[in-house]
Amino acid sequence: MIEIRRIGFAYNPTKEDAVPLSARATGWCAVRGIEAWTIASGDHDGLVRALPGTQVLVVLGGDGTFLRAASAVIEVDVPLVGVNLGKVGFLSKAETHELEPLLEKIKSGAYRLEPRMALRGAIHGPGSGAPRRTFVALNDVVVARGSLARMVRLEVDIGPSRLATFIADGLVVASPTGSTGYSFSAGGPILDPLSRNLVVSPIAAYLSAIRSVVVSPDQLVRCRVAEAHAALVSIDGYGDIPVSVGDVVTVAALQ
């Protein structure tokens, strides 16, 4: 069993209960001689700096808080677990009243690690060459219309083959972890969270026989914006990036 010496806590400062809960957590650690630190989940750079030497990151918040913390953990490989302060908490393993029992399990080694597949993505301009933006997501990558209620036309390829040209509100490419989120709302299946597949689902597609496709992790999903008044790429539900007609978004399993 690994001796737990340092625990990090990422919290959502906009949640009323998050600050007192983080104080409870660090107090629990102090009594047991465990070093602890707390940082707001939105402080990506701060989390990346604090994570080295940390043996577990406990996230105090909802799914959005968890996903923001996960973006830092992808850069610095540290196990993380969620304590739900949100409304749904699909990604959390415990509720607020279970905080101390959860920390006791971590301290005593009564846990197992679950490896989760993440997604790597890139945005390319109309021509060939290096991408102008790269990113990593735990849940999903969404290519969608902008604020105006006008559909977009998306040409979607899986590997060397054309899947379809969708006239839709957008497209969701989800990991197994993200299959319970936006992908599920768009009609996609729920996957075993420990599997290694991608789910490709159009959002409110017009006259399309294809609702959702499960894709091998060895394949590259390619989405070209063929027609749009405005379009955005959303990464794990935040960080909307404008894209233009002719731009290409690629998504694959993070190896």
Side-chain angles (χ1 to χ4, degrees):
M1 184 182 73
I2 298 175
E3 181 185 0
I4 299 297
R5 301 180 305 276
R6 190 168 191 253
I7 300 177
F9 297 92
Y11 68 97
N12 183 349
T14 67
K15 296 287 185 182
E16 183 178 350
D17 296 335
V19 173
L21 190 66
S22 63
R24 246 173 70 189
T26 54
W28 187 95
C29 291
V31 168
R32 289 155 182 82
I34 299 172
E35 181 185 351
W37 53 264
T38 60
I39 293 179
S41 63
D43 184 358
H44 177 87
D45 293 340
L47 286 173
V48 170
R49 287 192 299 269
L51 282 172
T54 301
Q55 290 156 295
V56 62
L57 177 64
V58 180
V59 181
L60 309 175
D63 286 347
T65 308
F66 190 94
L67 290 170
R68 283 163 176 76
S71 68
V73 164
I74 288 171
E75 294 188 33
V76 183
D77 189 12
V78 173
L80 79 165
V81 63
V83 176
N84 182 37
L85 274 75
K87 296 178 181 177
V88 180
F90 272 121
L91 300 174
S92 300
K93 290 292 185 181
E95 300 296 324
T96 55
H97 68 276
E98 300 172 305
L99 173 64
E100 286 81 4
L102 174 68
L103 294 175
E104 186 59 45
K105 287 180 180 179
I106 293 171
K107 179 178 179 293
S108 63
Y111 61 85
R112 61 185 174 88
L113 298 179
E114 294 184 349
R116 297 293 181 95
M117 188 195 85
L119 305 172
R120 60 176 174 84
I123 301 173
H124 303 258
S128 59
R132 70 168 184 261
R133 179 77 177 263
T134 60
F135 48 84
V136 175
L138 176 62
N139 253 16
D140 51 41
V141 177
V142 178
V143 183
R145 62 174 176 82
S147 58
L148 293 179
R150 297 184 183 180
M151 303 177 91
V152 293
R153 186 159 62 91
L154 304 174
E155 297 172 352
V156 181
D157 299 330
I158 296 176
S161 303
R162 173 61 50 87
L163 172 64
T165 298
F166 294 111
I167 300 173
D169 282 350
L171 185 82
V172 183
V173 183
S175 69
T177 300
S179 67
T180 57
Y182 198 175
S183 174
F184 180 67
S185 298
I190 294 177
L191 302 185
D192 182 331
L194 302 185
S195 65
R196 289 188 59 82
N197 292 98
L198 293 79
V199 185
V200 180
S201 305
I203 306 167
Y206 177 68
L207 294 179
S208 174
I210 298 174
R211 295 302 177 192
S212 188
V213 177
V214 178
V215 179
S216 160
D218 299 323
Q219 298 287 1
L220 178 72
V221 178
R222 184 178 183 273
C223 176
R224 178 179 176 271
V225 182
E227 186 178 336
H229 182 270
L232 300 168
V233 175
S234 176
I235 305 156
D236 279 343
Y238 64 97
D240 290 347
I241 305 167
V243 287
S244 303
V245 172
D247 285 349
V248 175
V249 180
T250 59
V251 184
L254 181 65
Q255 303 297 333

